[in-house]
Amino acid sequence: MSHERIFLFSGTDSFQKESTLQAAGKHYYGKEPYEIKKLIAKSDPIGELQEELMSFSLFGDAKVVVFDGCDAIPKKELDPLIEFLKAPRGDTPFFLFADDPKKVPKALLDTLPKTQVKPLGKTTPAKIRELVTQRCEKQRVRFSAAAMKYFMDACGDSAETALRELTKILLWAGEGKEIQEEDCRFLIQTEHEKDVWSVTRAVAEKNADAAL
């Protein structure tokens, strides 16, 4: 494997992560089916990662391997990862993701060409709305106009919040339902409500600093 198929992206935007992986699959495999294998840096050993990168998938050799949270990789796993990246094997596209670019170990950054280390883009509210609509269509669910406005107002420009709340709504709705504004009001926890609950919990725990 050359470093041309290894990338490190930083950022917390889940929609951007998903879009990046979908674009990679289309770029490398076209319309052929492919597998996305996701591993977590904090809990999955490097040996398992290496095995995934060099083994076949259910779709032959059509696979994209993801190593998420590499800004929180345990120290004992960092050296084996760096050694592997110095002389990578296999041809599987490999994507490392980090939430906080400032916490990515410098030794890890130094093993990759600068052109392969990039920030994730920021999903605009218009794009969030488009992606929400696409996901709803797959499940034959639609938002009423009032429900969509409430949803977008509650989530703002946070793709992470939109993904979390949409997942909750779709699990609750099932198939073939129209989501109404009152459904969103019932299911979505707004930032104001989060603040109220955090203060309530702090008061209950007699934590004056947190409550203030």
Side-chain angles (χ1 to χ4, degrees):
M1 179 195 300
S2 71
H3 284 116
E4 292 179 359
R5 289 197 171 205
I6 303 176
F7 301 88
L8 193 159
F9 285 91
S10 59
T12 58
D13 192 318
S14 296
F15 277 129
Q16 287 292 331
K17 286 184 182 180
E18 188 174 305
S19 298
T20 297
L21 294 175
Q22 289 176 351
K26 185 176 181 180
H27 173 74
Y28 290 112
Y29 304 119
K31 294 183 179 180
E32 294 180 16
Y34 62 93
E35 178 185 6
I36 295 179
K37 180 64 179 180
K38 296 183 179 181
L39 295 97
I40 306 300
K42 196 172 183 179
S43 56
D44 293 318
I46 297 303
E48 183 176 347
L49 171 65
Q50 292 175 329
E51 184 177 334
E52 287 295 341
L53 287 168
M54 294 185 289
S55 65
F56 295 108
S57 76
L58 295 173
F59 305 104
D61 60 353
K63 181 196 290 188
V64 174
V65 174
V66 177
F67 199 52
D68 205 357
C70 64
D71 49 333
I73 185 171
K75 194 174 188 309
K76 66 178 182 178
E77 300 289 351
L78 179 59
D79 288 342
L81 175 60
I82 290 173
E83 288 304 310
F84 177 81
L85 291 175
K86 286 179 179 178
R89 299 181 297 281
D91 293 318
T92 302
F94 179 29
F95 287 79
L96 300 99
F97 287 109
D99 288 345
D100 187 347
K102 295 179 180 178
K103 292 183 179 180
V104 178
K106 184 177 183 301
L108 176 56
L109 292 173
D110 289 344
T111 63
L112 297 172
K114 291 183 179 180
T115 54
Q116 305 303 100
V117 179
K118 305 176 183 181
L120 285 171
K122 179 71 174 175
T123 307
T124 64
K127 187 62 177 179
I128 292 175
R129 185 182 184 117
E130 177 187 334
L131 292 168
V132 166
T133 301
Q134 289 173 357
R135 286 206 169 188
C136 288
E137 288 175 349
K138 289 181 180 179
Q139 195 167 312
R140 293 187 295 166
V141 171
R142 64 182 298 269
F143 280 73
S144 70
M148 180 60 81
K149 183 179 186 308
Y150 185 90
F151 179 89
M152 293 302 300
D153 287 346
C155 297
D157 62 353
S158 171
E160 190 71 23
T161 301
L163 179 62
R164 182 185 67 242
E165 299 301 337
L166 179 61
T167 300
K168 188 194 308 179
I169 288 171
L170 292 179
L171 286 172
W172 175 82
E175 288 193 6
K177 181 178 175 64
E178 180 176 82
I179 306 298
Q180 303 297 330
E181 182 179 351
E182 54 265 31
D183 299 325
C184 290
R185 289 183 180 277
F186 173 71
L187 291 166
I188 296 176
Q189 186 180 32
T190 64
E191 291 302 319
H192 172 69
E193 290 168 335
K194 291 176 188 175
D195 289 343
V196 169
W197 280 111
S198 64
V199 171
T200 302
R201 284 194 298 269
V203 170
E205 295 168 1
K206 297 182 179 179
N207 187 339
D209 291 338
L212 295 173

